[in-house]
Amino acid sequence: MTMRERLRSIPDLMLAQRLGLMSNSQMDDYGKLLSSFVEQYPSQESAIKTALEGRDLKALTRLLSALRETLIEIHADDLAEECWRRLNSFDEDRPDKIEAYVSFLLSTLTALSIDIQVAFYKEDDEEYVGLGPGDQKKEGEDLKSILAVDDDPYSLDTFKAALKDLKCKIIGATSGLSALGVLNTLKPDLFVLDIEMPGMDGLELAGEIRKRGHGGPIIFITGKSTRDYVQKCMEAGASDFIVKPINPSHALGRIQKFL
């Protein structure tokens, strides 16, 4: 899968026709715009959260307006339009409604930043890791299984609810050690791991999973999008990411690619 194909597959970038018309030099310029967004987003996110917590509507409007301009530049057209529509209603919206929208927007932008970094990280001929020949389930065998690990039981329940319509078995664990215990008797087809956990974190758990010979795709649950952080996740074997707080439709879409 080429860089253009990977970028085209990012749902929040409107690139279906644009990428095919870009020359190599235009593609380089566009790549620089994407890299700039990735670098600047963590500080923008922090400033927006500060304004939101302080209920500083003027600062929030200014920050989101600047962010909207960036979204236009990188062709995240639908997000830019939604941002503009919401900005025009801020004076009329209740504080709780504004908070809910901004929180959802930041979650979506965190996912976008991570998706861009994944696209640039992978080699041109590399695709997402799928189920290998030894992991495929034949017709008539048990359902495919997912091992989901999160120290927050509520997050586990949210994740399970998001996947309720999938024909698969979901096994939950609330620690790295309990997850390793599951692996003594089960070979999951897919792993969904929270990163920030006490004791053994998700990155360490991913290493143990690979040491034990499990080759199923690993999806990390995270709320961070800094470049160093995403790089560590990719080096630990990430095939994809789900962003916290978990959005059911987002989680379902990420999971379905691997089942």
Side-chain angles (χ1 to χ4, degrees), residues 106-139:
L106 293 179
S107 177
T108 303
L109 293 175
T110 297
L112 174 59
S113 176
I114 292 173
D115 282 344
I116 291 169
Q117 293 178 69
V118 171
F120 278 99
Y121 180 89
K122 292 180 175 291
E123 298 297 331
D124 281 354
D125 60 351
E126 183 182 358
E127 297 191 45
Y128 279 121
V129 178
L131 299 180
D135 296 323
Q136 296 283 4
K137 292 285 194 299
K138 297 179 181 179
E139 188 174 354

PDB file of all heavy atoms in Angstrom, residues 106-139:
ATOM      1  N   LEU A 106     -12.102  17.064  19.910  1.00  0.00           N
ATOM      2  CA  LEU A 106     -10.719  16.766  20.261  1.00  0.00           C
ATOM      3  C   LEU A 106     -10.428  15.276  20.130  1.00  0.00           C
ATOM      4  O   LEU A 106      -9.336  14.880  19.695  1.00  0.00           O
ATOM      5  CB  LEU A 106     -10.415  17.247  21.687  1.00  0.00           C
ATOM      6  CG  LEU A 106     -10.420  18.764  21.882  1.00  0.00           C
ATOM      7  CD1 LEU A 106     -10.137  19.108  23.345  1.00  0.00           C
ATOM      8  CD2 LEU A 106      -9.391  19.443  20.977  1.00  0.00           C
ATOM      9  N   SER A 107     -11.383  14.450  20.501  1.00  0.00           N
ATOM     10  CA  SER A 107     -11.213  13.002  20.343  1.00  0.00           C
ATOM     11  C   SER A 107     -11.045  12.647  18.868  1.00  0.00           C
ATOM     12  O   SER A 107     -10.179  11.838  18.499  1.00  0.00           O
ATOM     13  CB  SER A 107     -12.414  12.276  20.933  1.00  0.00           C
ATOM     14  OG  SER A 107     -12.309  10.883  20.720  1.00  0.00           O
ATOM     15  N   THR A 108     -11.855  13.261  18.010  1.00  0.00           N
ATOM     16  CA  THR A 108     -11.775  13.007  16.572  1.00  0.00           C
ATOM     17  C   THR A 108     -10.445  13.477  16.003  1.00  0.00           C
ATOM     18  O   THR A 108      -9.824  12.794  15.175  1.00  0.00           O
ATOM     19  CB  THR A 108     -12.931  13.724  15.844  1.00  0.00           C
ATOM     20  OG1 THR A 108     -14.177  13.283  16.382  1.00  0.00           O
ATOM     21  CG2 THR A 108     -12.896  13.448  14.357  1.00  0.00           C
ATOM     22  N   LEU A 109      -9.962  14.637  16.451  1.00  0.00           N
ATOM     23  CA  LEU A 109      -8.697  15.173  15.957  1.00  0.00           C
ATOM     24  C   LEU A 109      -7.502  14.364  16.455  1.00  0.00           C
ATOM     25  O   LEU A 109      -6.508  14.220  15.744  1.00  0.00           O
ATOM     26  CB  LEU A 109      -8.560  16.640  16.368  1.00  0.00           C
ATOM     27  CG  LEU A 109      -9.552  17.601  15.702  1.00  0.00           C
ATOM     28  CD1 LEU A 109      -9.399  19.006  16.270  1.00  0.00           C
ATOM     29  CD2 LEU A 109      -9.351  17.612  14.195  1.00  0.00           C
ATOM     30  N   THR A 110      -7.603  13.827  17.666  1.00  0.00           N
ATOM     31  CA  THR A 110      -6.547  12.944  18.163  1.00  0.00           C
ATOM     32  C   THR A 110      -6.442  11.714  17.269  1.00  0.00           C
ATOM     33  O   THR A 110      -5.346  11.289  16.886  1.00  0.00           O
ATOM     34  CB  THR A 110      -6.834  12.521  19.616  1.00  0.00           C
ATOM     35  OG1 THR A 110      -6.815  13.684  20.452  1.00  0.00           O
ATOM     36  CG2 THR A 110      -5.780  11.536  20.114  1.00  0.00           C
ATOM     37  N   ALA A 111      -7.595  11.151  16.907  1.00  0.00           N
ATOM     38  CA  ALA A 111      -7.605   9.995  16.008  1.00  0.00           C
ATOM     39  C   ALA A 111      -7.028  10.361  14.645  1.00  0.00           C
ATOM     40  O   ALA A 111      -6.270   9.583  14.051  1.00  0.00           O
ATOM     41  CB  ALA A 111      -9.028   9.472  15.855  1.00  0.00           C
ATOM     42  N   LEU A 112      -7.356  11.542  14.136  1.00  0.00           N
ATOM     43  CA  LEU A 112      -6.835  11.989  12.850  1.00  0.00           C
ATOM     44  C   LEU A 112      -5.316  12.139  12.901  1.00  0.00           C
ATOM     45  O   LEU A 112      -4.601  11.691  11.986  1.00  0.00           O
ATOM     46  CB  LEU A 112      -7.486  13.316  12.454  1.00  0.00           C
ATOM     47  CG  LEU A 112      -6.936  13.999  11.196  1.00  0.00           C
ATOM     48  CD1 LEU A 112      -7.069  13.091   9.981  1.00  0.00           C
ATOM     49  CD2 LEU A 112      -7.662  15.322  10.957  1.00  0.00           C
ATOM     50  N   SER A 113      -4.806  12.754  13.957  1.00  0.00           N
ATOM     51  CA  SER A 113      -3.361  12.920  14.101  1.00  0.00           C
ATOM     52  C   SER A 113      -2.650  11.572  14.125  1.00  0.00           C
ATOM     53  O   SER A 113      -1.624  11.380  13.469  1.00  0.00           O
ATOM     54  CB  SER A 113      -3.043  13.699  15.382  1.00  0.00           C
ATOM     55  OG  SER A 113      -1.640  13.789  15.584  1.00  0.00           O
ATOM     56  N   ILE A 114      -3.211  10.619  14.863  1.00  0.00           N
ATOM     57  CA  ILE A 114      -2.602   9.284  14.938  1.00  0.00           C
ATOM     58  C   ILE A 114      -2.656   8.602  13.578  1.00  0.00           C
ATOM     59  O   ILE A 114      -1.673   7.985  13.134  1.00  0.00           O
ATOM     60  CB  ILE A 114      -3.302   8.436  16.007  1.00  0.00           C
ATOM     61  CG1 ILE A 114      -3.012   9.001  17.406  1.00  0.00           C
ATOM     62  CG2 ILE A 114      -2.842   6.982  15.928  1.00  0.00           C
ATOM     63  CD1 ILE A 114      -3.793   8.328  18.520  1.00  0.00           C
ATOM     64  N   ASP A 115      -3.788   8.707  12.875  1.00  0.00           N
ATOM     65  CA  ASP A 115      -3.924   8.086  11.558  1.00  0.00           C
ATOM     66  C   ASP A 115      -2.865   8.624  10.586  1.00  0.00           C
ATOM     67  O   ASP A 115      -2.289   7.869   9.789  1.00  0.00           O
ATOM     68  CB  ASP A 115      -5.316   8.346  10.986  1.00  0.00           C
ATOM     69  CG  ASP A 115      -6.382   7.448  11.594  1.00  0.00           C
ATOM     70  OD1 ASP A 115      -6.011   6.440  12.229  1.00  0.00           O
ATOM     71  OD2 ASP A 115      -7.572   7.750  11.440  1.00  0.00           O
ATOM     72  N   ILE A 116      -2.634   9.919  10.633  1.00  0.00           N
ATOM     73  CA  ILE A 116      -1.624  10.524   9.755  1.00  0.00           C
ATOM     74  C   ILE A 116      -0.239   9.974  10.082  1.00  0.00           C
ATOM     75  O   ILE A 116       0.544   9.620   9.182  1.00  0.00           O
ATOM     76  CB  ILE A 116      -1.646  12.059   9.895  1.00  0.00           C
ATOM     77  CG1 ILE A 116      -2.945  12.628   9.313  1.00  0.00           C
ATOM     78  CG2 ILE A 116      -0.434  12.687   9.197  1.00  0.00           C
ATOM     79  CD1 ILE A 116      -3.182  14.084   9.640  1.00  0.00           C
ATOM     80  N   GLN A 117       0.064   9.871  11.374  1.00  0.00           N
ATOM     81  CA  GLN A 117       1.371   9.360  11.767  1.00  0.00           C
ATOM     82  C   GLN A 117       1.560   7.904  11.358  1.00  0.00           C
ATOM     83  O   GLN A 117       2.645   7.498  10.929  1.00  0.00           O
ATOM     84  CB  GLN A 117       1.547   9.515  13.274  1.00  0.00           C
ATOM     85  CG  GLN A 117       1.621  10.972  13.711  1.00  0.00           C
ATOM     86  CD  GLN A 117       1.735  11.116  15.207  1.00  0.00           C
ATOM     87  OE1 GLN A 117       2.758  10.764  15.789  1.00  0.00           O
ATOM     88  NE2 GLN A 117       0.690  11.621  15.836  1.00  0.00           N
ATOM     89  N   VAL A 118       0.498   7.109  11.479  1.00  0.00           N
ATOM     90  CA  VAL A 118       0.574   5.703  11.052  1.00  0.00           C
ATOM     91  C   VAL A 118       0.841   5.628   9.550  1.00  0.00           C
ATOM     92  O   VAL A 118       1.646   4.822   9.091  1.00  0.00           O
ATOM     93  CB  VAL A 118      -0.729   4.957  11.412  1.00  0.00           C
ATOM     94  CG1 VAL A 118      -0.746   3.562  10.779  1.00  0.00           C
ATOM     95  CG2 VAL A 118      -0.881   4.841  12.922  1.00  0.00           C
ATOM     96  N   ALA A 119       0.173   6.494   8.781  1.00  0.00           N
ATOM     97  CA  ALA A 119       0.358   6.500   7.330  1.00  0.00           C
ATOM     98  C   ALA A 119       1.798   6.814   6.955  1.00  0.00           C
ATOM     99  O   ALA A 119       2.363   6.221   6.027  1.00  0.00           O
ATOM    100  CB  ALA A 119      -0.583   7.516   6.683  1.00  0.00           C
ATOM    101  N   PHE A 120       2.434   7.730   7.668  1.00  0.00           N
ATOM    102  CA  PHE A 120       3.813   8.101   7.371  1.00  0.00           C
ATOM    103  C   PHE A 120       4.809   7.090   7.931  1.00  0.00           C
ATOM    104  O   PHE A 120       5.928   6.975   7.427  1.00  0.00           O
ATOM    105  CB  PHE A 120       4.131   9.486   7.936  1.00  0.00           C
ATOM    106  CG  PHE A 120       3.664  10.603   7.058  1.00  0.00           C
ATOM    107  CD1 PHE A 120       2.476  11.265   7.315  1.00  0.00           C
ATOM    108  CD2 PHE A 120       4.411  10.999   5.957  1.00  0.00           C
ATOM    109  CE1 PHE A 120       2.034  12.290   6.503  1.00  0.00           C
ATOM    110  CE2 PHE A 120       3.984  12.027   5.134  1.00  0.00           C
ATOM    111  CZ  PHE A 120       2.786  12.683   5.404  1.00  0.00           C
ATOM    112  N   TYR A 121       4.406   6.352   8.964  1.00  0.00           N
ATOM    113  CA  TYR A 121       5.323   5.415   9.610  1.00  0.00           C
ATOM    114  C   TYR A 121       5.544   4.177   8.760  1.00  0.00           C
ATOM    115  O   TYR A 121       6.651   3.662   8.657  1.00  0.00           O
ATOM    116  CB  TYR A 121       4.772   5.008  10.974  1.00  0.00           C
ATOM    117  CG  TYR A 121       5.651   4.027  11.733  1.00  0.00           C
ATOM    118  CD1 TYR A 121       6.663   4.491  12.575  1.00  0.00           C
ATOM    119  CD2 TYR A 121       5.452   2.657  11.615  1.00  0.00           C
ATOM    120  CE1 TYR A 121       7.464   3.602  13.267  1.00  0.00           C
ATOM    121  CE2 TYR A 121       6.245   1.765  12.317  1.00  0.00           C
ATOM    122  CZ  TYR A 121       7.247   2.239  13.134  1.00  0.00           C
ATOM    123  OH  TYR A 121       8.035   1.349  13.820  1.00  0.00           O
ATOM    124  N   LYS A 122       4.497   3.680   8.134  1.00  0.00           N
ATOM    125  CA  LYS A 122       4.572   2.402   7.448  1.00  0.00           C
ATOM    126  C   LYS A 122       5.349   2.507   6.142  1.00  0.00           C
ATOM    127  O   LYS A 122       5.329   3.525   5.465  1.00  0.00           O
ATOM    128  CB  LYS A 122       3.159   1.857   7.185  1.00  0.00           C
ATOM    129  CG  LYS A 122       2.450   1.458   8.464  1.00  0.00           C
ATOM    130  CD  LYS A 122       1.063   0.938   8.159  1.00  0.00           C
ATOM    131  CE  LYS A 122       0.404   0.432   9.435  1.00  0.00           C
ATOM    132  NZ  LYS A 122       1.039  -0.783   9.932  1.00  0.00           N
ATOM    133  N   GLU A 123       6.023   1.426   5.782  1.00  0.00           N
ATOM    134  CA  GLU A 123       6.744   1.367   4.515  1.00  0.00           C
ATOM    135  C   GLU A 123       5.742   1.324   3.362  1.00  0.00           C
ATOM    136  O   GLU A 123       4.597   0.924   3.517  1.00  0.00           O
ATOM    137  CB  GLU A 123       7.631   0.120   4.470  1.00  0.00           C
ATOM    138  CG  GLU A 123       8.704   0.090   5.540  1.00  0.00           C
ATOM    139  CD  GLU A 123       9.699   1.226   5.399  1.00  0.00           C
ATOM    140  OE1 GLU A 123       9.918   1.682   4.263  1.00  0.00           O
ATOM    141  OE2 GLU A 123      10.245   1.662   6.423  1.00  0.00           O
ATOM    142  N   ASP A 124       6.189   1.712   2.166  1.00  0.00           N
ATOM    143  CA  ASP A 124       5.284   1.825   1.029  1.00  0.00           C
ATOM    144  C   ASP A 124       4.550   0.531   0.697  1.00  0.00           C
ATOM    145  O   ASP A 124       3.420   0.552   0.233  1.00  0.00           O
ATOM    146  CB  ASP A 124       6.041   2.303  -0.218  1.00  0.00           C
ATOM    147  CG  ASP A 124       6.276   3.802  -0.183  1.00  0.00           C
ATOM    148  OD1 ASP A 124       5.758   4.466   0.740  1.00  0.00           O
ATOM    149  OD2 ASP A 124       6.970   4.298  -1.061  1.00  0.00           O
ATOM    150  N   ASP A 125       5.203  -0.611   0.889  1.00  0.00           N
ATOM    151  CA  ASP A 125       4.557  -1.866   0.506  1.00  0.00           C
ATOM    152  C   ASP A 125       3.972  -2.605   1.694  1.00  0.00           C
ATOM    153  O   ASP A 125       3.603  -3.767   1.592  1.00  0.00           O
ATOM    154  CB  ASP A 125       5.558  -2.787  -0.204  1.00  0.00           C
ATOM    155  CG  ASP A 125       6.750  -3.130   0.674  1.00  0.00           C
ATOM    156  OD1 ASP A 125       6.885  -2.513   1.751  1.00  0.00           O
ATOM    157  OD2 ASP A 125       7.523  -4.003   0.285  1.00  0.00           O
ATOM    158  N   GLU A 126       3.903  -1.941   2.843  1.00  0.00           N
ATOM    159  CA  GLU A 126       3.412  -2.596   4.054  1.00  0.00           C
ATOM    160  C   GLU A 126       1.941  -2.306   4.246  1.00  0.00           C
ATOM    161  O   GLU A 126       1.484  -1.186   4.068  1.00  0.00           O
ATOM    162  CB  GLU A 126       4.192  -2.099   5.271  1.00  0.00           C
ATOM    163  CG  GLU A 126       3.806  -2.783   6.570  1.00  0.00           C
ATOM    164  CD  GLU A 126       4.561  -2.218   7.753  1.00  0.00           C
ATOM    165  OE1 GLU A 126       5.398  -1.337   7.561  1.00  0.00           O
ATOM    166  OE2 GLU A 126       4.282  -2.664   8.868  1.00  0.00           O
ATOM    167  N   GLU A 127       1.193  -3.311   4.630  1.00  0.00           N
ATOM    168  CA  GLU A 127      -0.227  -3.143   4.919  1.00  0.00           C
ATOM    169  C   GLU A 127      -0.467  -3.420   6.388  1.00  0.00           C
ATOM    170  O   GLU A 127       0.390  -3.929   7.100  1.00  0.00           O
ATOM    171  CB  GLU A 127      -1.063  -4.095   4.068  1.00  0.00           C
ATOM    172  CG  GLU A 127      -0.924  -3.826   2.567  1.00  0.00           C
ATOM    173  CD  GLU A 127      -1.944  -4.590   1.775  1.00  0.00           C
ATOM    174  OE1 GLU A 127      -3.117  -4.597   2.197  1.00  0.00           O
ATOM    175  OE2 GLU A 127      -1.579  -5.176   0.760  1.00  0.00           O
ATOM    176  N   TYR A 128      -1.664  -3.073   6.851  1.00  0.00           N
ATOM    177  CA  TYR A 128      -2.021  -3.415   8.217  1.00  0.00           C
ATOM    178  C   TYR A 128      -1.893  -4.916   8.418  1.00  0.00           C
ATOM    179  O   TYR A 128      -2.186  -5.710   7.529  1.00  0.00           O
ATOM    180  CB  TYR A 128      -3.465  -3.001   8.529  1.00  0.00           C
ATOM    181  CG  TYR A 128      -3.634  -1.555   8.869  1.00  0.00           C
ATOM    182  CD1 TYR A 128      -4.476  -0.753   8.115  1.00  0.00           C
ATOM    183  CD2 TYR A 128      -2.953  -0.988   9.929  1.00  0.00           C
ATOM    184  CE1 TYR A 128      -4.645   0.580   8.424  1.00  0.00           C
ATOM    185  CE2 TYR A 128      -3.110   0.347  10.241  1.00  0.00           C
ATOM    186  CZ  TYR A 128      -3.961   1.116   9.491  1.00  0.00           C
ATOM    187  OH  TYR A 128      -4.126   2.442   9.791  1.00  0.00           O
ATOM    188  N   VAL A 129      -1.473  -5.303   9.598  1.00  0.00           N
ATOM    189  CA  VAL A 129      -1.352  -6.724   9.897  1.00  0.00           C
ATOM    190  C   VAL A 129      -2.745  -7.326   9.995  1.00  0.00           C
ATOM    191  O   VAL A 129      -3.586  -6.833  10.735  1.00  0.00           O
ATOM    192  CB  VAL A 129      -0.607  -6.930  11.228  1.00  0.00           C
ATOM    193  CG1 VAL A 129      -0.522  -8.414  11.557  1.00  0.00           C
ATOM    194  CG2 VAL A 129       0.791  -6.326  11.143  1.00  0.00           C
ATOM    195  N   GLY A 130      -2.990  -8.381   9.267  1.00  0.00           N
ATOM    196  CA  GLY A 130      -4.267  -9.071   9.335  1.00  0.00           C
ATOM    197  C   GLY A 130      -4.086 -10.408  10.021  1.00  0.00           C
ATOM    198  O   GLY A 130      -3.028 -10.698  10.576  1.00  0.00           O
ATOM    199  N   LEU A 131      -5.091 -11.222   9.993  1.00  0.00           N
ATOM    200  CA  LEU A 131      -4.977 -12.544  10.577  1.00  0.00           C
ATOM    201  C   LEU A 131      -4.123 -13.408   9.664  1.00  0.00           C
ATOM    202  O   LEU A 131      -4.366 -13.490   8.460  1.00  0.00           O
ATOM    203  CB  LEU A 131      -6.367 -13.174  10.741  1.00  0.00           C
ATOM    204  CG  LEU A 131      -7.327 -12.421  11.662  1.00  0.00           C
ATOM    205  CD1 LEU A 131      -8.648 -13.166  11.715  1.00  0.00           C
ATOM    206  CD2 LEU A 131      -6.747 -12.282  13.048  1.00  0.00           C
ATOM    207  N   GLY A 132      -3.101 -14.038  10.202  1.00  0.00           N
ATOM    208  CA  GLY A 132      -2.225 -14.896   9.424  1.00  0.00           C
ATOM    209  C   GLY A 132      -2.892 -16.225   9.131  1.00  0.00           C
ATOM    210  O   GLY A 132      -3.936 -16.554   9.694  1.00  0.00           O
ATOM    211  N   PRO A 133      -2.282 -17.020   8.234  1.00  0.00           N
ATOM    212  CA  PRO A 133      -2.880 -18.302   7.858  1.00  0.00           C
ATOM    213  C   PRO A 133      -3.173 -19.191   9.056  1.00  0.00           C
ATOM    214  O   PRO A 133      -4.184 -19.878   9.096  1.00  0.00           O
ATOM    215  CB  PRO A 133      -1.813 -18.919   6.942  1.00  0.00           C
ATOM    216  CG  PRO A 133      -1.061 -17.746   6.396  1.00  0.00           C
ATOM    217  CD  PRO A 133      -1.054 -16.738   7.498  1.00  0.00           C
ATOM    218  N   GLY A 134      -2.282 -19.165  10.041  1.00  0.00           N
ATOM    219  CA  GLY A 134      -2.483 -20.015  11.213  1.00  0.00           C
ATOM    220  C   GLY A 134      -3.542 -19.501  12.157  1.00  0.00           C
ATOM    221  O   GLY A 134      -4.001 -20.227  13.042  1.00  0.00           O
ATOM    222  N   ASP A 135      -3.939 -18.237  11.969  1.00  0.00           N
ATOM    223  CA  ASP A 135      -4.924 -17.644  12.869  1.00  0.00           C
ATOM    224  C   ASP A 135      -6.339 -17.680  12.296  1.00  0.00           C
ATOM    225  O   ASP A 135      -7.305 -17.393  12.992  1.00  0.00           O
ATOM    226  CB  ASP A 135      -4.562 -16.172  13.155  1.00  0.00           C
ATOM    227  CG  ASP A 135      -3.247 -16.061  13.897  1.00  0.00           C
ATOM    228  OD1 ASP A 135      -2.994 -16.922  14.745  1.00  0.00           O
ATOM    229  OD2 ASP A 135      -2.487 -15.131  13.598  1.00  0.00           O
ATOM    230  N   GLN A 136      -6.473 -18.008  11.007  1.00  0.00           N
ATOM    231  CA  GLN A 136      -7.788 -17.974  10.392  1.00  0.00           C
ATOM    232  C   GLN A 136      -8.699 -19.069  10.962  1.00  0.00           C
ATOM    233  O   GLN A 136      -8.284 -20.199  11.167  1.00  0.00           O
ATOM    234  CB  GLN A 136      -7.665 -18.185   8.866  1.00  0.00           C
ATOM    235  CG  GLN A 136      -6.891 -17.074   8.176  1.00  0.00           C
ATOM    236  CD  GLN A 136      -7.715 -15.817   7.998  1.00  0.00           C
ATOM    237  OE1 GLN A 136      -8.852 -15.770   8.457  1.00  0.00           O
ATOM    238  NE2 GLN A 136      -7.159 -14.819   7.363  1.00  0.00           N
ATOM    239  N   LYS A 137      -9.928 -18.723  11.200  1.00  0.00           N
ATOM    240  CA  LYS A 137     -10.910 -19.688  11.660  1.00  0.00           C
ATOM    241  C   LYS A 137     -11.633 -20.273  10.443  1.00  0.00           C
ATOM    242  O   LYS A 137     -12.050 -19.540   9.562  1.00  0.00           O
ATOM    243  CB  LYS A 137     -11.929 -19.009  12.583  1.00  0.00           C
ATOM    244  CG  LYS A 137     -11.333 -18.545  13.907  1.00  0.00           C
ATOM    245  CD  LYS A 137     -11.092 -19.719  14.833  1.00  0.00           C
ATOM    246  CE  LYS A 137     -10.821 -19.252  16.239  1.00  0.00           C
ATOM    247  NZ  LYS A 137      -9.673 -18.422  16.404  1.00  0.00           N
ATOM    248  N   LYS A 138     -11.763 -21.569  10.373  1.00  0.00           N
ATOM    249  CA  LYS A 138     -12.480 -22.220   9.296  1.00  0.00           C
ATOM    250  C   LYS A 138     -13.974 -22.258   9.621  1.00  0.00           C
ATOM    251  O   LYS A 138     -14.375 -22.198  10.785  1.00  0.00           O
ATOM    252  CB  LYS A 138     -11.944 -23.627   9.077  1.00  0.00           C
ATOM    253  CG  LYS A 138     -10.484 -23.648   8.629  1.00  0.00           C
ATOM    254  CD  LYS A 138     -10.002 -25.075   8.449  1.00  0.00           C
ATOM    255  CE  LYS A 138      -8.535 -25.099   8.020  1.00  0.00           C
ATOM    256  NZ  LYS A 138      -8.029 -26.476   7.861  1.00  0.00           N
ATOM    257  N   GLU A 139     -14.752 -22.393   8.570  1.00  0.00           N
ATOM    258  CA  GLU A 139     -16.203 -22.443   8.753  1.00  0.00           C
ATOM    259  C   GLU A 139     -16.564 -23.603   9.671  1.00  0.00           C
ATOM    260  O   GLU A 139     -16.078 -24.727   9.523  1.00  0.00           O
ATOM    261  CB  GLU A 139     -16.892 -22.616   7.401  1.00  0.00           C
ATOM    262  CG  GLU A 139     -18.402 -22.485   7.483  1.00  0.00           C
ATOM    263  CD  GLU A 139     -19.045 -22.525   6.122  1.00  0.00           C
ATOM    264  OE1 GLU A 139     -18.318 -22.546   5.125  1.00  0.00           O
ATOM    265  OE2 GLU A 139     -20.286 -22.547   6.072  1.00  0.00           O
TER     266      GLU A 139
END
